[in-house]
Amino acid sequence: MTVTPEITLIGSGCASLSLAKELARHNVARAKIVTDKSYQDRPDHIWGFWQMPWLDDAVSQATHSWKQWHIITDNMTVSHKSDEHPYCSLHAGKWLGYCADISGAKEVIEEVTDTPPAPYFDSRPVPADEGIFYQHFIGHHIKADRDVFNPDVAILMDFRCDQSQGLHFMYLLPTSANEALVESTLFSEQLLDKTYYETAIKSYLATHYDLSSYEVSHVETGAIPLADCRDKSAPHHAIGARGGALRPSSGYAFSFIQKQVAGILSHHARTGDWQAISPLAPRDLWMDKVFMAVLQARPELSISIFEAIAKSLDGSEFARFMSGNASLATILKMMLSMPKWPFIKAALSPRTYRRGM
Ligand SMILES: Cc1cc2nc3c(=O)[nH]c(=O)nc-3n(C[C@H](O)[C@H](O)[C@H](O)COP(=O)(O)OP(=O)(O)OC[C@H]3O[C@@H](n4cnc5c(N)ncnc54)[C@H](O)[C@@H]3O)c2cc1C
């Protein structure tokens, strides 16, 4: 009789539970989840991602999807459409519950300070370096007293808001003509007082939707490091953000985590070993480092850079680029749209350029 091995998974966030689900589904191992209590009261939130071939399970659990999305600046609205890769939203609580139900993993509440014997995977966050940018935000799930939104179009970035505290945009996912998640999001070093984001949301809705009367049913908040946060000491055991599944230029992680989980299963099927590999290509990590260096050193260029990227690609190209699946032709097209000198200087020495030296 063969005995199913037990794998310890540290943490009970997206990476651990997504992996536990797949271990059970393929019937290759039983997961034992060891987690502290730090996230037990974390409010529910939305994960956004573009539909990709490795995300069928997540798409089946998504609550909404949009085949059209906009990126808006003072100068223009870039409108993208993709039938192949719609933008989807998924409730974190729903996904984690779905994964926990399938995995049937036993959970041990314990603050891990040492690593367990192999096989194990670790998703504890790694402390971020000093001086990096964060993507920090507050989002309000609102219900308006009248129809003001176009439920067919997601607004991924609308830069028509206060820019005095850093690169600032509004993210608006309409789930009906009078309901939406509206998020005030900044890319900057300093997190702000919550009244800043709340005032920005109010002012945006008043200015662009003539809307002042609405109920807030739920609030979500986050601060995601926009940097390479990999654990370089034990990379083959590291999963999730710790394992390099967080895209440093965007803060997106959900899609990359699912890709990483699929990679762990296929590596095991081929070799019999348990090993995690960063789901982001070295090329993408390098591009992101250069990109973030330019945003930090030349903030005045930031909005025009996002505008240029969006304009240079069609919807499917943009979705594949954001999901780490861009072709070389797409990368070249995008690079040619960028201001040359800042990117050349940043490419030569990203760290020095970021510090303005
Ligand atoms: C509000 C919010 C919205 C987001 N929206 C998106 C989005 O739209 N799209 C997207 O792609 N990404 C999004 N992200 C980013 C992405 O969700 C996260 O980066 C991702 O969830 C990381 O998952 P993870 O499993 O690697 O880590 P986490 O979810 O951070 O899990 C880490 C786990 O480790 C546990 N832990 C920590 N320390 C210890 C310890 N000492 N001992 C034991 N356990 C410990 C914690 O309790 C937790 O369970 C969002 C993040 C937030 C917070």
Side-chain angles (χ1 to χ4, degrees):
M1 191 182 86
T2 50
V3 180
T4 316
E6 183 175 80
I7 299 188
T8 302
L9 305 181
I10 305 176
S12 59
C14 184
S16 281
L17 282 162
S18 301
L19 177 54
K21 163 179 75 68
E22 287 301 301
L23 294 176
R25 191 168 267 168
H26 289 80
N27 199 21
V28 283
R30 287 171 293 119
K32 173 182 156 192
I33 290 180
V34 185
T35 189
D36 71 354
K37 289 184 176 170
S38 56
Y39 288 6
Q40 273 187 349
D41 299 324
R42 184 151 89 175
D44 194 14
H45 67 83
I46 294 288
W47 274 309
F49 58 87
W50 284 268
Q51 181 172 342
M52 289 288 145
W54 61 90
L55 291 172
D56 287 351
D57 212 9
V59 169
S60 77
Q61 298 301 308
T63 35
H64 280 89
S65 68
W66 299 264
K67 289 183 173 168
Q68 218 185 326
W69 57 85
H70 286 171
I71 289 160
I72 305 172
T73 67
D74 279 333
N75 302 326
M76 64 172 64
T77 294
V78 181
S79 181
H80 282 163
K81 193 170 183 304
S82 177
D83 291 333
E84 199 185 348
H85 302 299
Y87 190 73
C88 305
S89 74
L90 172 64
H91 283 272
K94 182 178 177 192
W95 178 252
L96 298 178
Y98 172 74
C99 293
D101 286 350
I102 293 175
S103 79
K106 75 174 171 207
E107 192 171 284
V108 178
I109 303 292
E110 185 185 312
E111 187 168 334
V112 176
T113 48
D114 222 340
T115 47
Y120 78 91
F121 289 103
D122 190 353
S123 70
R124 282 173 298 165
V126 174
D129 287 345
E130 298 262 308
I132 61 155
F133 268 19
Y134 284 82
Q135 184 198 120
H136 47 106
F137 53 88
I138 287 185
H140 285 176
H141 291 255
I142 68 157
K143 186 166 188 173
D145 61 358
R146 61 198 164 82
D147 292 352
V148 287
F149 304 120
N150 177 354
D152 297 330
V153 181
I155 295 172
L156 298 189
M157 292 178 139
D158 188 340
F159 293 100
R160 296 173 302 165
C161 48
D162 173 60
Q163 298 296 327
S164 67
Q165 302 300 312
L167 181 65
H168 184 195
F169 60 89
M170 307 302 296
Y171 172 74
L172 192 150
L173 297 184
T175 48
S176 73
N178 71 334
E179 288 166 298
L181 163 64
V182 192
E183 223 163 73
S184 154
T185 306
L186 288 100
F187 279 20
S188 74
E189 219 175 308
Q190 295 300 329
L191 310 197
L192 302 169
D193 189 85
K194 79 178 175 69
T195 51
Y196 178 85
Y197 312 88
E198 288 168 355
T199 307
I201 293 170
K202 273 194 194 136
S203 148
Y204 177 73
L205 290 171
T207 309
H208 298 288
Y209 292 89
D210 191 21
L211 184 65
S212 51
S213 176
Y214 55 86
E215 283 167 27
V216 178
S217 59
H218 183 71
V219 177
E220 57 179 76
T221 173
I224 304 170
L226 293 171
D228 182 355
C229 299
R230 282 177 293 171
D231 169 22
K232 296 183 183 85
S233 64
H236 296 322
H237 292 285
I239 55 170
R242 186 186 183 96
L246 180 76
R247 181 121 202 212
S249 61
S250 66
Y252 278 92
F254 182 82
S255 179
F256 301 107
I257 289 173
Q258 307 314 314
K259 202 186 232 183
Q260 184 173 53
V261 165
I264 291 172
L265 269 292
S266 65
H267 182 82
H268 178 261
R270 277 197 318 276
T271 65
D273 288 340
W274 291 110
Q275 182 170 316
I277 296 156
S278 167
L280 278 163
R283 174 193 76 181
D284 291 353
L285 280 171
W286 177 80
M287 283 193 321
D288 282 14
K289 195 191 268 188
V290 173
F291 182 79
M292 289 313 297
V294 174
L295 290 197
Q296 283 196 248
R298 300 290 307 273
E300 75 283 6
L301 297 177
S302 304
I303 295 178
S304 60
I305 289 172
F306 280 99
E307 186 183 284
I309 292 175
K311 246 176 21 181
S312 68
L313 305 178
D314 67 27
S316 293
E317 288 169 335
F318 184 79
R320 286 195 286 266
F321 169 69
M322 294 299 289
S323 309
N325 236 23
S327 67
L328 194 57
T330 299
I331 301 278
L332 285 175
K333 214 191 302 186
M334 204 195 70
M335 278 180 163
L336 289 172
S337 73
M338 301 283 101
K340 304 288 166 301
W341 277 113
F343 277 88
I344 291 170
K345 285 189 206 157
L348 292 173
S349 180
R351 195 179 284 258
T352 320
Y353 189 70
R354 168 160 75 87
R355 292 200 198 109
M357 290 190 270

